[in-house]
Amino acid sequence: MIPCAFCGRENEPDSRFCIDCGKPANPSAARIGPAYVPSPSGDHALPVTPPTATARSTASSAAATSVATPAVMPPSQMRSSSVPITRVSEAVTVCASCGKSVSPELPFCGHCGTRVGQRASVGAAPATSSGTQVLSGRRAGTTRIALLGEAAQVVQTFTLERDDAVIGRGEADIRFENDLYMSPLHVRLELRNGQLALRDLGSRNGTWVFIDRPTKLTNGDVILMGSQLLRFRRLGYPGPHPPEADSTRRMGSAVPNVDIAVLEQLRADGSVRDTFHLSPGRSVTIGRETGDWTFPYDGTMSSRHTEIRSEDNEFFVHDANSRNGVAMAARGERPIQKGQRLLVGDQILRVESV
């Protein structure tokens, strides 16, 4: 058995596509066109090559010792060994595309990648009088996801009957066919032991979780505020300058005396445009009109949008009551609570109940 580099599902050695998420499982089924991730050095974006079995094992061992993580990690580094295996019955059906035998409870054929079964089917479920659509399958579940409109009103509600569902533009359980910012298979939601979690499936634009409280920043975190992507990167403490032989003092700004982190403004290709350095004991305000770092050209950013506060050499991001909120890129598997909002492609979703 070989694990999928995107979702962790165990597949047969001869499988070309993952039977659980539909992603390519070996180099012969490589994705069409290169994907790009921001370069840790802040230079040009780096292409991501399709993961191989060797690369997956190398990435797993390297992840334990890695200190800095790119803003958007290659799919091979996002797999967790703790991802549970999808439950499969002994029933067998035939794939309509390639004729191979597959389980009807699996979403995808492992031989050709064609959609076989449905965890959920939004389109096949009729809308109720309240506008709620129930995803087909077993008895109605308790996890409800709302699609929000421009005025934050609930446009549509999806009720998950199964323990997991995939959101995307293509052959997904919750489908947004006309959203060009959404990848065909974008993000997976899974309910385990009463806890809802999401995992980005290597999407081009990532999955974003809006913060509702001060959030600690870790190296490689990417923040969305307005239309700006800002990456937080640790610098560490510089070494002291050795004294000059003739005791001459150095010129330069004495305050602040040290920078230990930096915010990097990212372009669409992942390259760095502008930077803002962070130092201990110094809070930074970011906005469209007022603050230490302003973006007067960004109409989606509030006048005073975000504050980055320094607390004991750590940095926390605060939403300064902005209109459009502050979101963090989901890295690996992330727990989601009731009331939290998500940005998937160009869609704002909110968890109504779990």
Side-chain angles (χ1 to χ4, degrees), residues 8-94:
R9 175 69 165 94
E10 297 288 341
N11 290 269
E12 296 293 336
D14 60 344
S15 296
R16 298 179 65 246
F17 295 86
C18 177
I19 58 178
D20 204 19
C21 72
K23 293 281 189 174
N26 61 40
S28 64
R31 69 173 73 193
I32 300 175
Y36 292 90
V37 297
S39 168
S41 63
D43 296 327
H44 298 292
L46 304 175
V48 179
T49 56
T52 62
T54 304
R56 282 193 296 268
S57 60
T58 303
S60 299
S61 60
T65 58
S66 175
V67 176
T69 306
V72 181
M73 294 185 293
S76 59
Q77 295 182 14
M78 298 177 68
R79 179 176 62 85
S80 171
S81 59
S82 62
V83 176
I85 296 177
T86 301
R87 295 179 297 277
V88 183
S89 69
E90 296 180 357
V92 176
T93 187
V94 176

Side-chain angles (χ1 to χ4, degrees), residues 240-300:
H241 289 291
E244 298 294 341
D246 58 0
S247 301
T248 303
R249 298 185 63 178
R250 293 176 177 268
M251 295 180 61
S253 177
V255 179
N257 62 349
V258 63
D259 295 318
I260 61 174
V262 65
L263 291 174
E264 301 172 328
Q265 181 190 17
L266 301 180
R267 297 185 178 94
D269 63 356
S271 61
V272 175
R273 182 179 186 270
D274 289 332
T275 60
F276 193 99
H277 287 77
L278 303 174
S279 56
R282 180 190 183 194
S283 295
V284 175
T285 303
I286 302 172
R288 188 182 74 251
E289 297 177 353
T290 62
D292 304 286
W293 197 6
T294 59
F295 299 86
Y297 48 83
D298 190 346
T300 61

